[in-house]
Amino acid sequence: MKSFLSSCTTGGCGAKIGPGELSKVLSGLPVFQDPQLLVGFDASDDAAVYQINEDTAIVSTVDFFTPMVEDPRTFGRIAAANALSDVYAMGGAPLFALNLVCYPEREDIQDLGEILAGGAEKLQEAGAVLCGGHSIYDREPKYGLAVTGRLDPRRIWKNNTPQPGDRLILTKPLGVGIVMAALRGEMAEAEAIEAALASMQRLNKYAAEKARDFPIHACTDITGFGLLAHAREMAGGSTTIVLHPSELPYIAQAYTYAQGYLLTAAGQRNRNFMEGAVEFKDIPFPLQELMLDPQTSGGLLLSVPGDCAQEALRAIQEAEPQAALIGEVVSRQALPILLR
C-alpha cells in the first residue's frame, strides 16, 4: 500500500471535477420528467430522492475516489463515511450499499481486502447492509459506495431552500484538504494528521440525528467544492449567505500550512469558480483558503430558523463539540456570498 499515494495524481474529494466544468457537462443532458422524482441532478443536490408512497421515499447516491492516506483500512473507512454522508445530508437514513472498486493488478490483493473491511466497519456503524458491488482493474486504486436510504418525503433536507432569518451551523472543522496536502509534502505534524483522519472517519450520522429534532430549512455536506461553493449552491437565486470567517471551526495547523502555501489544485479550482460570487477584501489569505479547501467527508452545513439556532447548536455539540454557528441567511443581495 505504500506506493498508493505516489501513484495517485490526487486523492479524496480533491479529485472531484470542478463545479464550473461539471455544470457545463450536466447542462447538455436531457431533462427527465417523473412526478415521483422529488430531487434530481438538476438541483445539484447531494442525492436523488424518489417517492414510493405518501410516507416513504428512497434516497440514492454514489461516491468514490482515490486514496488520500497510506493505510488501506483507514482509506476504506473514510471513503465509506464520505459516501454515506449524502444520505444524512438529505435528512435520510441509509439502508444498504454496494461497493465500487477499481484496483491495480500490480498491488497486493490483501490491501484491497483491508479497504473493503474498513468500508464494512462504517456500514455496520451506520446500521446499513452491504449487499454486493462491482470491481474492475485500473491504474489507480479507487473505492466508494452506491448507497440507498429512506426518508419521509415531507421532511427532505434540500440544499437550496434556506430562508431569510436562518442561521448556519457547520458541524465539522475545515482544513482536512490542506492537512492532506501537507502530508503529501511530508510536512504535516502528527497532531494535525490525527485530527484530519478522525474528522474524515466520523459519520455525519450523529449530527444529523441531533438536527432532526429541529426544523431544518436546508442542508448540504461540505466536500470537494469547499465551504464557499457549497454555500453558493445553498444560496440559490433568492437568498444570500452571510459567513463570519472569524467564527469558522478549523484544524489549527491547517491555517499555518495555508500561510505557507501548502495548497491544493482543487482549492484553486474552487477559487476560480467563486470569482464574481464573493469578495474577500481584507480576509487573511489562510482563512480564504480554508473556505475554499476541498473537504473529504466534511461536515454538514445546516440552515436553521434563527429562533432555535442556539438550541440546535447545543444539541449538535453533544455529538460534535467543534460544531459552530458560522453565519446567517438574508434576502438576496448583490452577491450570493458575503463575508463579514
Side-chain angles (χ1 to χ4, degrees), residues 172-176 178-179 182 189 191-196 199 248-260 286-287 290 322:
K172 285 185 182 182
L174 301 171
V176 298
I178 293 171
V179 172
E189 300 160 76
E191 184 180 359
I193 297 169
E194 182 179 351
S199 179
L248 294 174
Y250 56 83
I251 299 170
Q253 294 86 347
Y255 189 101
T256 304
Y257 300 151
Q259 224 168 10
L287 272 181
L290 284 164
Q322 295 186 75

Side-chain angles (χ1 to χ4, degrees), residues 161-167 217 238-240 303-306 328-332:
T161 52
Q163 297 181 18
D166 285 356
R167 298 188 71 187
H217 287 159
S238 60
T239 65
T240 284
S303 187
V304 185
E328 60 265 353
V329 181
V330 299
S331 298
R332 187 66 171 198

Side-chain angles (χ1 to χ4, degrees), residues 48-200:
V49 179
Y50 194 90
Q51 187 165 1
I52 302 301
N53 55 43
E54 183 179 349
D55 300 315
T56 304
I58 57 172
V59 54
S60 181
T61 184
V62 61
D63 217 312
F64 66 97
F65 44 58
T66 48
M68 76 303 295
V69 294
E70 294 285 12
D71 180 66
R73 189 170 289 234
T74 301
F75 169 49
R77 293 190 194 109
I78 293 170
N82 182 76
L84 287 159
S85 181
D86 286 337
V87 174
Y88 298 125
M90 301 298 294
L95 294 173
F96 63 87
L98 301 170
N99 280 325
L100 298 171
V101 174
C102 301
Y103 200 73
E105 281 189 86
R106 67 180 182 276
E107 296 292 347
D108 187 348
I109 201 67
Q110 296 302 317
D111 285 337
L112 175 57
E114 284 292 295
I115 293 171
L116 299 181
E121 286 179 20
K122 285 297 160 181
L123 285 170
Q124 289 177 319
E125 183 182 344
V129 178
L130 179 63
C131 298
H134 184 68
S135 61
I136 63 170
Y137 286 122
D138 197 0
R139 291 184 178 180
E140 294 183 346
K142 303 174 185 72
Y143 172 64
L145 299 170
V147 185
T148 299
R150 176 175 56 201
L151 52 69
D152 183 338
R154 293 159 295 203
R155 298 192 65 188
I156 302 171
W157 296 351
K158 295 184 179 180
N159 71 345
N160 59 357
T161 52
Q163 297 181 18
D166 285 356
R167 298 188 71 187
L168 301 171
I169 297 173
L170 181 62
T171 65
K172 285 185 182 182
L174 301 171
V176 298
I178 293 171
V179 172
M180 291 298 101
L183 175 63
R184 280 176 174 264
E186 299 183 346
M187 299 179 68
E189 300 160 76
E191 184 180 359
I193 297 169
E194 182 179 351
L197 293 181
S199 179
M200 290 188 288

Side-chain angles (χ1 to χ4, degrees), residues 291-316:
M291 291 187 285
L292 295 162
D293 186 39
Q295 303 303 285
T296 297
S297 189
L300 301 178
L301 180 65
L302 297 147
S303 187
V304 185
D307 59 3
C308 65
Q310 285 288 355
E311 184 183 357
L313 176 64
R314 286 193 294 268
I316 291 169

